[in-house]
PDB file of all heavy atoms in Angstrom:
ATOM      1  N   GLU M 183     -23.706 -57.079  32.959  1.00  0.00           N
ATOM      2  CA  GLU M 183     -22.949 -56.007  32.323  1.00  0.00           C
ATOM      3  C   GLU M 183     -23.752 -54.712  32.283  1.00  0.00           C
ATOM      4  O   GLU M 183     -24.983 -54.714  32.328  1.00  0.00           O
ATOM      5  CB  GLU M 183     -22.538 -56.386  30.890  1.00  0.00           C
ATOM      6  CG  GLU M 183     -21.422 -57.401  30.811  1.00  0.00           C
ATOM      7  CD  GLU M 183     -20.947 -57.615  29.383  1.00  0.00           C
ATOM      8  OE1 GLU M 183     -21.580 -57.104  28.433  1.00  0.00           O
ATOM      9  OE2 GLU M 183     -19.935 -58.307  29.234  1.00  0.00           O
ATOM     10  N   VAL M 184     -23.012 -53.618  32.155  1.00  0.00           N
ATOM     11  CA  VAL M 184     -23.598 -52.293  31.957  1.00  0.00           C
ATOM     12  C   VAL M 184     -23.149 -51.817  30.570  1.00  0.00           C
ATOM     13  O   VAL M 184     -21.946 -51.822  30.274  1.00  0.00           O
ATOM     14  CB  VAL M 184     -23.146 -51.286  33.025  1.00  0.00           C
ATOM     15  CG1 VAL M 184     -23.738 -49.898  32.760  1.00  0.00           C
ATOM     16  CG2 VAL M 184     -23.555 -51.767  34.414  1.00  0.00           C
ATOM     17  N   VAL M 185     -24.105 -51.424  29.740  1.00  0.00           N
ATOM     18  CA  VAL M 185     -23.786 -50.927  28.400  1.00  0.00           C
ATOM     19  C   VAL M 185     -24.064 -49.429  28.384  1.00  0.00           C
ATOM     20  O   VAL M 185     -25.189 -48.985  28.643  1.00  0.00           O
ATOM     21  CB  VAL M 185     -24.629 -51.622  27.305  1.00  0.00           C
ATOM     22  CG1 VAL M 185     -24.249 -51.093  25.934  1.00  0.00           C
ATOM     23  CG2 VAL M 185     -24.437 -53.133  27.376  1.00  0.00           C
ATOM     24  N   LEU M 186     -23.029 -48.650  28.079  1.00  0.00           N
ATOM     25  CA  LEU M 186     -23.140 -47.193  27.974  1.00  0.00           C
ATOM     26  C   LEU M 186     -22.903 -46.816  26.526  1.00  0.00           C
ATOM     27  O   LEU M 186     -21.826 -47.028  25.970  1.00  0.00           O
ATOM     28  CB  LEU M 186     -22.091 -46.519  28.866  1.00  0.00           C
ATOM     29  CG  LEU M 186     -22.159 -46.835  30.367  1.00  0.00           C
ATOM     30  CD1 LEU M 186     -20.873 -46.427  31.053  1.00  0.00           C
ATOM     31  CD2 LEU M 186     -23.347 -46.148  31.016  1.00  0.00           C
ATOM     32  N   SER M 187     -23.934 -46.284  25.881  1.00  0.00           N
ATOM     33  CA  SER M 187     -23.802 -45.920  24.469  1.00  0.00           C
ATOM     34  C   SER M 187     -24.409 -44.537  24.252  1.00  0.00           C
ATOM     35  O   SER M 187     -25.499 -44.239  24.745  1.00  0.00           O
ATOM     36  CB  SER M 187     -24.524 -46.951  23.569  1.00  0.00           C
ATOM     37  OG  SER M 187     -25.898 -47.013  23.903  1.00  0.00           O
ATOM     38  N   GLY M 188     -23.683 -43.704  23.548  1.00  0.00           N
ATOM     39  CA  GLY M 188     -24.177 -42.354  23.314  1.00  0.00           C
ATOM     40  C   GLY M 188     -23.275 -41.601  22.371  1.00  0.00           C
ATOM     41  O   GLY M 188     -22.392 -42.179  21.718  1.00  0.00           O
ATOM     42  N   ILE M 189     -23.451 -40.299  22.312  1.00  0.00           N
ATOM     43  CA  ILE M 189     -22.751 -39.493  21.329  1.00  0.00           C
ATOM     44  C   ILE M 189     -21.879 -38.442  21.998  1.00  0.00           C
ATOM     45  O   ILE M 189     -22.097 -38.069  23.154  1.00  0.00           O
ATOM     46  CB  ILE M 189     -23.729 -38.802  20.361  1.00  0.00           C
ATOM     47  CG1 ILE M 189     -24.731 -37.932  21.141  1.00  0.00           C
ATOM     48  CG2 ILE M 189     -24.450 -39.812  19.482  1.00  0.00           C
ATOM     49  CD1 ILE M 189     -25.617 -37.079  20.260  1.00  0.00           C
ATOM     50  N   ASP M 190     -20.893 -37.992  21.259  1.00  0.00           N
ATOM     51  CA  ASP M 190     -20.027 -36.893  21.694  1.00  0.00           C
ATOM     52  C   ASP M 190     -20.783 -35.587  21.435  1.00  0.00           C
ATOM     53  O   ASP M 190     -21.062 -35.234  20.289  1.00  0.00           O
ATOM     54  CB  ASP M 190     -18.725 -36.936  20.889  1.00  0.00           C
ATOM     55  CG  ASP M 190     -17.737 -35.864  21.314  1.00  0.00           C
ATOM     56  OD1 ASP M 190     -18.123 -34.965  22.086  1.00  0.00           O
ATOM     57  OD2 ASP M 190     -16.574 -35.913  20.859  1.00  0.00           O
ATOM     58  N   ILE M 191     -21.137 -34.880  22.506  1.00  0.00           N
ATOM     59  CA  ILE M 191     -21.920 -33.647  22.362  1.00  0.00           C
ATOM     60  C   ILE M 191     -21.070 -32.409  22.650  1.00  0.00           C
ATOM     61  O   ILE M 191     -21.595 -31.341  22.972  1.00  0.00           O
ATOM     62  CB  ILE M 191     -23.165 -33.667  23.286  1.00  0.00           C
ATOM     63  CG1 ILE M 191     -22.750 -33.813  24.763  1.00  0.00           C
ATOM     64  CG2 ILE M 191     -24.127 -34.763  22.878  1.00  0.00           C
ATOM     65  CD1 ILE M 191     -23.914 -33.589  25.715  1.00  0.00           C
ATOM     66  N   THR M 192     -19.743 -32.550  22.522  1.00  0.00           N
ATOM     67  CA  THR M 192     -18.834 -31.441  22.811  1.00  0.00           C
ATOM     68  C   THR M 192     -19.154 -30.227  21.933  1.00  0.00           C
ATOM     69  O   THR M 192     -19.301 -29.115  22.431  1.00  0.00           O
ATOM     70  CB  THR M 192     -17.371 -31.870  22.601  1.00  0.00           C
ATOM     71  OG1 THR M 192     -17.125 -33.062  23.349  1.00  0.00           O
ATOM     72  CG2 THR M 192     -16.433 -30.769  23.053  1.00  0.00           C
ATOM     73  N   GLU M 193     -19.258 -30.463  20.611  1.00  0.00           N
ATOM     74  CA  GLU M 193     -19.535 -29.356  19.689  1.00  0.00           C
ATOM     75  C   GLU M 193     -20.922 -28.784  19.928  1.00  0.00           C
ATOM     76  O   GLU M 193     -21.120 -27.572  19.813  1.00  0.00           O
ATOM     77  CB  GLU M 193     -19.398 -29.829  18.233  1.00  0.00           C
ATOM     78  CG  GLU M 193     -17.966 -30.184  17.838  1.00  0.00           C
ATOM     79  CD  GLU M 193     -17.000 -29.027  18.039  1.00  0.00           C
ATOM     80  OE1 GLU M 193     -17.385 -27.882  17.735  1.00  0.00           O
ATOM     81  OE2 GLU M 193     -15.885 -29.267  18.511  1.00  0.00           O
ATOM     82  N   LEU M 194     -21.877 -29.651  20.257  1.00  0.00           N
ATOM     83  CA  LEU M 194     -23.237 -29.188  20.548  1.00  0.00           C
ATOM     84  C   LEU M 194     -23.224 -28.263  21.766  1.00  0.00           C
ATOM     85  O   LEU M 194     -23.892 -27.228  21.778  1.00  0.00           O
ATOM     86  CB  LEU M 194     -24.149 -30.389  20.797  1.00  0.00           C
ATOM     87  CG  LEU M 194     -25.621 -30.086  21.113  1.00  0.00           C
ATOM     88  CD1 LEU M 194     -26.295 -29.380  19.955  1.00  0.00           C
ATOM     89  CD2 LEU M 194     -26.368 -31.362  21.477  1.00  0.00           C
ATOM     90  N   ARG M 195     -22.461 -28.630  22.771  1.00  0.00           N
ATOM     91  CA  ARG M 195     -22.363 -27.794  23.976  1.00  0.00           C
ATOM     92  C   ARG M 195     -21.715 -26.444  23.652  1.00  0.00           C
ATOM     93  O   ARG M 195     -22.142 -25.401  24.154  1.00  0.00           O
ATOM     94  CB  ARG M 195     -21.562 -28.512  25.052  1.00  0.00           C
ATOM     95  CG  ARG M 195     -22.387 -29.513  25.843  1.00  0.00           C
ATOM     96  CD  ARG M 195     -21.730 -29.830  27.175  1.00  0.00           C
ATOM     97  NE  ARG M 195     -22.673 -30.407  28.097  1.00  0.00           N
ATOM     98  CZ  ARG M 195     -23.531 -29.720  28.824  1.00  0.00           C
ATOM     99  NH1 ARG M 195     -23.577 -28.409  28.708  1.00  0.00           N
ATOM    100  NH2 ARG M 195     -24.347 -30.313  29.669  1.00  0.00           N
ATOM    101  N   LYS M 196     -20.682 -26.455  22.799  1.00  0.00           N
ATOM    102  CA  LYS M 196     -20.031 -25.203  22.420  1.00  0.00           C
ATOM    103  C   LYS M 196     -20.998 -24.303  21.659  1.00  0.00           C
ATOM    104  O   LYS M 196     -21.065 -23.089  21.906  1.00  0.00           O
ATOM    105  CB  LYS M 196     -18.803 -25.500  21.542  1.00  0.00           C
ATOM    106  CG  LYS M 196     -17.642 -26.122  22.289  1.00  0.00           C
ATOM    107  CD  LYS M 196     -16.475 -26.394  21.349  1.00  0.00           C
ATOM    108  CE  LYS M 196     -15.311 -27.044  22.081  1.00  0.00           C
ATOM    109  NZ  LYS M 196     -14.195 -27.363  21.137  1.00  0.00           N
ATOM    110  N   THR M 197     -21.765 -24.912  20.747  1.00  0.00           N
ATOM    111  CA  THR M 197     -22.747 -24.138  19.960  1.00  0.00           C
ATOM    112  C   THR M 197     -23.822 -23.566  20.876  1.00  0.00           C
ATOM    113  O   THR M 197     -24.213 -22.404  20.736  1.00  0.00           O
ATOM    114  CB  THR M 197     -23.394 -25.033  18.892  1.00  0.00           C
ATOM    115  OG1 THR M 197     -22.377 -25.581  18.057  1.00  0.00           O
ATOM    116  CG2 THR M 197     -24.364 -24.226  18.031  1.00  0.00           C
ATOM    117  N   ARG M 198     -24.294 -24.386  21.825  1.00  0.00           N
ATOM    118  CA  ARG M 198     -25.328 -23.931  22.752  1.00  0.00           C
ATOM    119  C   ARG M 198     -24.812 -22.775  23.593  1.00  0.00           C
ATOM    120  O   ARG M 198     -25.501 -21.773  23.815  1.00  0.00           O
ATOM    121  CB  ARG M 198     -25.764 -25.089  23.648  1.00  0.00           C
ATOM    122  CG  ARG M 198     -26.928 -24.742  24.581  1.00  0.00           C
ATOM    123  CD  ARG M 198     -27.199 -25.883  25.519  1.00  0.00           C
ATOM    124  NE  ARG M 198     -27.619 -27.078  24.818  1.00  0.00           N
ATOM    125  CZ  ARG M 198     -27.667 -28.279  25.372  1.00  0.00           C
ATOM    126  NH1 ARG M 198     -27.291 -28.435  26.637  1.00  0.00           N
ATOM    127  NH2 ARG M 198     -28.066 -29.311  24.684  1.00  0.00           N
ATOM    128  N   ALA M 199     -23.567 -22.892  24.075  1.00  0.00           N
ATOM    129  CA  ALA M 199     -22.981 -21.820  24.893  1.00  0.00           C
ATOM    130  C   ALA M 199     -22.843 -20.538  24.075  1.00  0.00           C
ATOM    131  O   ALA M 199     -23.093 -19.430  24.587  1.00  0.00           O
ATOM    132  CB  ALA M 199     -21.618 -22.268  25.418  1.00  0.00           C
ATOM    133  N   MET M 200     -22.464 -20.676  22.786  1.00  0.00           N
ATOM    134  CA  MET M 200     -22.324 -19.508  21.929  1.00  0.00           C
ATOM    135  C   MET M 200     -23.687 -18.829  21.712  1.00  0.00           C
ATOM    136  O   MET M 200     -23.818 -17.601  21.788  1.00  0.00           O
ATOM    137  CB  MET M 200     -21.729 -19.931  20.584  1.00  0.00           C
ATOM    138  CG  MET M 200     -21.474 -18.766  19.619  1.00  0.00           C
ATOM    139  SD  MET M 200     -20.743 -19.333  18.073  1.00  0.00           S
ATOM    140  CE  MET M 200     -22.108 -20.293  17.393  1.00  0.00           C
ATOM    141  N   LEU M 201     -24.725 -19.649  21.468  1.00  0.00           N
ATOM    142  CA  LEU M 201     -26.066 -19.085  21.259  1.00  0.00           C
ATOM    143  C   LEU M 201     -26.575 -18.407  22.530  1.00  0.00           C
ATOM    144  O   LEU M 201     -27.209 -17.345  22.467  1.00  0.00           O
ATOM    145  CB  LEU M 201     -27.024 -20.203  20.836  1.00  0.00           C
ATOM    146  CG  LEU M 201     -26.831 -20.761  19.436  1.00  0.00           C
ATOM    147  CD1 LEU M 201     -27.757 -21.954  19.208  1.00  0.00           C
ATOM    148  CD2 LEU M 201     -27.106 -19.695  18.372  1.00  0.00           C
TER     149      LEU M 201
END
Side-chain angles (χ1 to χ4, degrees):
E183 286 187 351
V184 178
V185 181
L186 301 165
S187 59
I189 57 173
D190 182 349
I191 59 170
T192 307
E193 292 303 320
L194 180 62
R195 278 200 161 278
K196 289 179 181 178
T197 303
R198 185 186 297 166
M200 183 179 67
L201 289 174

